[in-house]
Amino acid sequence: MERLRDFIEWRFFGVCTLLAERLGVSIFSVRLFFIYSTFLTFGSPVFVYLAIAFITRLRRFLRWRRALLFREG
């Protein structure tokens, strides 16, 4: 159960963690902001969240790919 919780937190809350670290605020505050703003604006921050998640996953993939190419060459 602990591994499942860690996996879910790493996958789904990575965006909130990234934003909190960049802005210098607590992760809890960023998560609450997304929750409240989603209810108040009828779901539009979900699109922002998904876009940020996509961009961060793409950046991780490109970093991994670049590291892999440097190891081979």
Side-chain angles (χ1 to χ4, degrees), residues 21-71:
E21 289 174 356
R22 297 273 172 116
L23 296 174
V25 297
S26 72
I27 299 169
F28 183 73
S29 299
V30 174
R31 289 178 185 163
L32 279 180
F33 169 76
F34 270 108
I35 291 169
Y36 290 149
S37 61
T38 300
F39 286 125
L40 292 175
T41 60
F42 302 109
S44 61
V46 171
F47 298 117
V48 174
Y49 183 90
L50 292 175
I52 294 171
F54 176 75
I55 290 169
T56 56
R57 297 274 296 177
L58 183 63
R59 288 179 68 200
R60 285 181 193 159
F61 174 74
L62 291 176
R63 285 183 188 152
W64 173 79
R65 178 81 175 167
R66 185 174 31 189
L68 184 64
L69 288 175
F70 283 132
R71 282 187 211 157

